[in-house]
Amino acid sequence: MPEGQPSGFPGPTLQRGGGAGHVAVVGGGFGGLAAALELASAGVDVTLFEAAEQVGGKARRLPVAGRQVDAGPTVFTMRWVFDALFEGAGVALDDAVALEQAQVLARHAWPDGSRFDLFTDLDQTVTAVAELAGPAEAERYRRFAAETAAAYDLFRPVFIEAPRPTPLDVLLKVGLRGLPRLLAARPAANLYRAISDLLTDPRLRQLFGRYATYCGSSPFAAPATLMLIAHVERMGVWRVPGGMQSLAQAMAEAFERCGGQIRLAAPIAAIEAPDGRIKGLRLASGERVAAEAVVFNGDAGALAAGLLGPEVARAVPSLPRHRRSYSAMVWSVAAEARGFPLSHHTVFFGPDYKREFDDMGQGRLPRDPTTYICALDRGAGPETPDAPGIERFHVQVNAPAVGDDPTALGPREIETCRQQTEALMQTAGLSLSLAPETSTLTTPAGFHQRFPGTGGALYGEATYGPFASFRRAATQTRIAGLYLAGGSAHPGAGVPMAALSGRLAAAAVRQALASTRRSGRGAISGGISTPSATTGSMG
């Protein structure tokens, strides 16, 4: 039997890794990269397995008309999460990735011809609100900003940074003194109703209600606590000039410098836990790798569907279709944009916001869909002039997560959506072709094919109702030694939240390994300590 191979676990093991204390991370998205980097920084023997030929998960690039166009997440916030990760690896984030802080968070346009820029600076935004909707609304917005800041300050330590708590845990952590602040966050209200209590202009209600879609949810059903996203963005949005793929690559390089190993183009056929405890992995090639713990950085639904083998199918409960988050129609574009002065982030709203979500609730693509455009080649300054020539764009509209239904979203409906999207942009004065010769389209079916077990859902479980956040899969599963990271796990979707889930998973793994060592097995090189996943420089 090869050295380090557990009894009863057949097949060869890796020359490096696979022995006692070896941790396998499955999936190279931001959650998996964060977990791997955190563990390797602490001296743990880690191997990361990625099915694709590059790390990044949903942060990927597609070839379009001879150019590489980002087709994944485009908004970078909560940089303190990544400052901490890189600092733990002995690298400054700014030395690893070029970042440009935005002055304009996003430009917004409506069919009535109105435009509105949302700024990082509070006073600039207050002035812009006054110009859009009058001084009284500007004062209401200032109060709205104060409430979102208070909600963020309340929930960051007791929920966002903590291992998945229960409602009782939150109440105990908040305490009697914090109870008025908790009630002020309106946990029982839906997001759109709470915003409507604070702001009267329908355009601003539409704008801030859109934050529910950051979690793949409807603002008419998502909890009011999602208002805190407004404060998160006001704390800072950064442009990553090389795209999110460059951030993923920088994390991978830091991980390898810390001694970690990455295996690309290495899809996993099964996570093996024959006695209810993790023993290792079986690759699609047939190779077996022993591991004392596995961090799964994929959608939890893939586990429940048995796509990683029957022995871990009970690790998490299955997710009913009606609780899936939204998918998207994403056009990766290389074309010339004319007419409208696009900012780096621009949002075009349709005339009937409620109808958009009603359509998706019925499994249809929305009519007059809200359209988000990231002008990838434009900077993050306050004014970006109309740039001549071919540019790269990420164009996205929401879509139902029906990618596993072959009868849904046929070619005619998809073509109609393209025409409606172009028409909405044209209404605001923007001419931008989404024709096949200038773009590559990824549909819910395409996302489901790339991320099996999801139906194309991009954000795990939808966040509906006051207790929805507490239903999201926890870091630790029902299988001993199997941990979750990524957008379908606590604390939720989005690049920084996925990275936080990876930190939480790494902390749980280190604690478990330290407990094993104390019970008499050999120590891992470099030692193990088990600080909180959010101590130190997380702030």
Side-chain angles (χ1 to χ4, degrees), residues 239 337 340-344 375-380 384-387 391 393:
R239 175 176 177 254
F340 184 95
L342 291 168
S343 185
H344 184 66
L376 296 163
D377 297 319
R378 302 196 182 196
T384 304
D386 223 353
E391 298 179 73
F393 300 98

Side-chain angles (χ1 to χ4, degrees), residues 115-127:
R115 298 179 185 176
F116 174 76
D117 283 356
L118 189 64
F119 296 91
T120 300
D121 182 79
L122 176 61
D123 291 333
Q124 280 186 281
T125 300
V126 169
T127 299

